[in-house]
Short mmCIF file of all heavy atoms in Angstrom, two decimals:
data_model
loop_
_atom_site.label_atom_id
_atom_site.label_comp_id
_atom_site.label_asym_id
_atom_site.label_seq_id
_atom_site.Cartn_x
_atom_site.Cartn_y
_atom_site.Cartn_z
N SER Z 19 12.26 -56.55 -53.83
CA SER Z 19 11.38 -55.42 -54.22
C SER Z 19 10.04 -55.95 -54.69
O SER Z 19 8.97 -55.41 -54.25
CB SER Z 19 11.98 -54.61 -55.31
OG SER Z 19 13.23 -53.99 -54.92
N TYR Z 20 10.00 -57.08 -55.42
CA TYR Z 20 8.75 -57.66 -55.82
C TYR Z 20 7.99 -58.24 -54.66
O TYR Z 20 6.77 -58.10 -54.53
CB TYR Z 20 9.06 -58.81 -56.88
CG TYR Z 20 9.67 -58.32 -58.15
CD1 TYR Z 20 11.03 -58.32 -58.34
CD2 TYR Z 20 8.86 -57.98 -59.28
CE1 TYR Z 20 11.60 -57.93 -59.50
CE2 TYR Z 20 9.48 -57.55 -60.36
CZ TYR Z 20 10.77 -57.53 -60.50
OH TYR Z 20 11.33 -57.14 -61.73
N ILE Z 21 8.74 -58.79 -53.68
CA ILE Z 21 8.08 -59.32 -52.52
C ILE Z 21 7.44 -58.26 -51.69
O ILE Z 21 6.34 -58.37 -51.20
CB ILE Z 21 9.04 -60.19 -51.72
CG1 ILE Z 21 9.54 -61.35 -52.59
CG2 ILE Z 21 8.42 -60.59 -50.41
CD1 ILE Z 21 10.64 -62.26 -51.87
N TRP Z 22 8.27 -57.20 -51.48
CA TRP Z 22 7.79 -56.01 -50.72
C TRP Z 22 6.52 -55.35 -51.38
O TRP Z 22 5.58 -55.10 -50.69
CB TRP Z 22 8.90 -54.95 -50.58
CG TRP Z 22 8.46 -53.74 -49.91
CD1 TRP Z 22 7.88 -52.61 -50.38
CD2 TRP Z 22 8.57 -53.51 -48.53
NE1 TRP Z 22 7.60 -51.69 -49.42
CE2 TRP Z 22 8.09 -52.24 -48.23
CE3 TRP Z 22 9.16 -54.27 -47.44
CZ2 TRP Z 22 8.00 -51.71 -46.91
CZ3 TRP Z 22 9.06 -53.68 -46.16
CH2 TRP Z 22 8.58 -52.51 -45.92
N LEU Z 23 6.49 -55.29 -52.65
CA LEU Z 23 5.39 -54.78 -53.45
C LEU Z 23 4.19 -55.74 -53.23
O LEU Z 23 3.05 -55.19 -53.02
CB LEU Z 23 5.71 -54.61 -54.89
CG LEU Z 23 4.55 -54.01 -55.81
CD1 LEU Z 23 4.23 -52.54 -55.24
CD2 LEU Z 23 5.05 -53.94 -57.21
N ALA Z 24 4.35 -57.00 -53.34
CA ALA Z 24 3.25 -57.96 -53.11
C ALA Z 24 2.73 -57.77 -51.67
O ALA Z 24 1.51 -57.81 -51.52
CB ALA Z 24 3.80 -59.38 -53.44
N GLY Z 25 3.62 -57.60 -50.69
CA GLY Z 25 3.11 -57.44 -49.40
C GLY Z 25 2.30 -56.12 -49.24
O GLY Z 25 1.28 -56.10 -48.55
N THR Z 26 2.67 -55.07 -49.88
CA THR Z 26 1.94 -53.82 -49.95
C THR Z 26 0.62 -54.06 -50.52
O THR Z 26 -0.46 -53.56 -49.99
CB THR Z 26 2.65 -52.77 -50.81
OG1 THR Z 26 4.00 -52.53 -50.19
CG2 THR Z 26 1.90 -51.49 -50.83
N PHE Z 27 0.52 -54.74 -51.55
CA PHE Z 27 -0.88 -55.11 -52.21
C PHE Z 27 -1.78 -56.01 -51.30
O PHE Z 27 -2.96 -55.79 -51.28
CB PHE Z 27 -0.65 -55.81 -53.49
CG PHE Z 27 -0.57 -54.87 -54.72
CD1 PHE Z 27 0.64 -54.18 -54.97
CD2 PHE Z 27 -1.59 -54.62 -55.58
CE1 PHE Z 27 0.77 -53.26 -55.96
CE2 PHE Z 27 -1.51 -53.72 -56.61
CZ PHE Z 27 -0.33 -53.10 -56.84
N VAL Z 28 -1.08 -56.89 -50.51
CA VAL Z 28 -1.91 -57.65 -49.53
C VAL Z 28 -2.56 -56.71 -48.49
O VAL Z 28 -3.78 -56.89 -48.14
CB VAL Z 28 -1.00 -58.71 -48.88
CG1 VAL Z 28 -1.75 -59.35 -47.73
CG2 VAL Z 28 -0.61 -59.78 -49.84
N ILE Z 29 -1.83 -55.71 -48.07
CA ILE Z 29 -2.30 -54.83 -47.10
C ILE Z 29 -3.44 -53.95 -47.70
O ILE Z 29 -4.53 -53.74 -47.08
CB ILE Z 29 -1.22 -53.84 -46.54
CG1 ILE Z 29 -0.17 -54.68 -45.82
CG2 ILE Z 29 -1.71 -52.77 -45.68
CD1 ILE Z 29 1.04 -53.89 -45.42
N VAL Z 30 -3.21 -53.52 -49.01
CA VAL Z 30 -4.22 -52.77 -49.66
C VAL Z 30 -5.53 -53.59 -49.83
O VAL Z 30 -6.64 -53.10 -49.57
CB VAL Z 30 -3.75 -52.33 -51.08
CG1 VAL Z 30 -4.83 -51.70 -51.94
CG2 VAL Z 30 -2.53 -51.36 -50.95
N PHE Z 31 -5.40 -54.85 -50.22
CA PHE Z 31 -6.59 -55.70 -50.34
C PHE Z 31 -7.29 -55.81 -49.07
O PHE Z 31 -8.53 -55.68 -48.96
CB PHE Z 31 -6.05 -57.10 -50.90
CG PHE Z 31 -7.20 -58.11 -50.80
CD1 PHE Z 31 -8.11 -58.24 -51.85
CD2 PHE Z 31 -7.31 -58.99 -49.70
CE1 PHE Z 31 -9.13 -59.16 -51.80
CE2 PHE Z 31 -8.32 -59.96 -49.66
CZ PHE Z 31 -9.26 -60.05 -50.72
N ALA Z 32 -6.56 -56.06 -47.98
CA ALA Z 32 -7.23 -56.24 -46.62
C ALA Z 32 -7.99 -54.98 -46.29
O ALA Z 32 -9.06 -55.05 -45.79
CB ALA Z 32 -6.12 -56.55 -45.65
N ILE Z 33 -7.35 -53.73 -46.44
CA ILE Z 33 -7.99 -52.51 -45.97
C ILE Z 33 -9.30 -52.39 -46.79
O ILE Z 33 -10.34 -52.01 -46.26
CB ILE Z 33 -7.09 -51.41 -46.14
CG1 ILE Z 33 -5.92 -51.47 -45.23
CG2 ILE Z 33 -7.79 -50.05 -45.97
CD1 ILE Z 33 -4.76 -50.47 -45.41
N ILE Z 34 -9.23 -52.54 -48.13
CA ILE Z 34 -10.46 -52.31 -48.99
C ILE Z 34 -11.55 -53.30 -48.70
O ILE Z 34 -12.65 -52.97 -48.52
CB ILE Z 34 -10.03 -52.39 -50.49
CG1 ILE Z 34 -9.08 -51.18 -50.83
CG2 ILE Z 34 -11.31 -52.33 -51.30
CD1 ILE Z 34 -8.55 -51.22 -52.28
N TYR Z 35 -11.12 -54.54 -48.53
CA TYR Z 35 -12.15 -55.63 -48.23
C TYR Z 35 -12.86 -55.43 -46.92
O TYR Z 35 -14.06 -55.54 -46.83
CB TYR Z 35 -11.38 -57.03 -48.34
CG TYR Z 35 -12.42 -58.17 -48.15
CD1 TYR Z 35 -13.20 -58.57 -49.24
CD2 TYR Z 35 -12.57 -58.81 -46.88
CE1 TYR Z 35 -14.09 -59.62 -49.05
CE2 TYR Z 35 -13.39 -59.92 -46.75
CZ TYR Z 35 -14.22 -60.23 -47.85
OH TYR Z 35 -15.12 -61.28 -47.68
N ILE Z 36 -12.08 -55.16 -45.86
CA ILE Z 36 -12.60 -54.96 -44.63
C ILE Z 36 -13.60 -53.76 -44.55
O ILE Z 36 -14.60 -53.77 -43.98
CB ILE Z 36 -11.47 -54.80 -43.45
CG1 ILE Z 36 -10.73 -56.14 -43.32
CG2 ILE Z 36 -12.09 -54.38 -42.19
CD1 ILE Z 36 -9.47 -55.99 -42.52
N THR Z 37 -13.11 -52.69 -45.22
CA THR Z 37 -13.97 -51.45 -45.29
C THR Z 37 -15.28 -51.80 -45.97
O THR Z 37 -16.39 -51.39 -45.43
CB THR Z 37 -13.24 -50.45 -46.09
OG1 THR Z 37 -12.07 -50.05 -45.50
CG2 THR Z 37 -14.06 -49.15 -46.14
N LEU Z 38 -15.26 -52.55 -47.07
CA LEU Z 38 -16.49 -52.93 -47.73
C LEU Z 38 -17.40 -53.78 -46.87
O LEU Z 38 -18.66 -53.55 -46.80
CB LEU Z 38 -16.20 -53.51 -49.06
CG LEU Z 38 -17.42 -53.94 -49.95
CD1 LEU Z 38 -18.29 -52.69 -50.16
CD2 LEU Z 38 -17.00 -54.54 -51.27
N VAL Z 39 -16.79 -54.79 -46.23
CA VAL Z 39 -17.61 -55.73 -45.39
C VAL Z 39 -18.18 -54.92 -44.23
O VAL Z 39 -19.44 -55.13 -43.90
CB VAL Z 39 -16.68 -56.86 -44.87
CG1 VAL Z 39 -17.42 -57.64 -43.81
CG2 VAL Z 39 -16.26 -57.78 -45.94
#
Side-chain angles (χ1 to χ4, degrees):
S19 297
Y20 295 93
I21 298 173
W22 180 270
L23 182 61
T26 300
F27 271 76
V28 170
I29 296 173
V30 171
F31 170 83
I33 293 173
I34 294 175
Y35 183 79
I36 292 172
T37 302
L38 181 56
V39 170

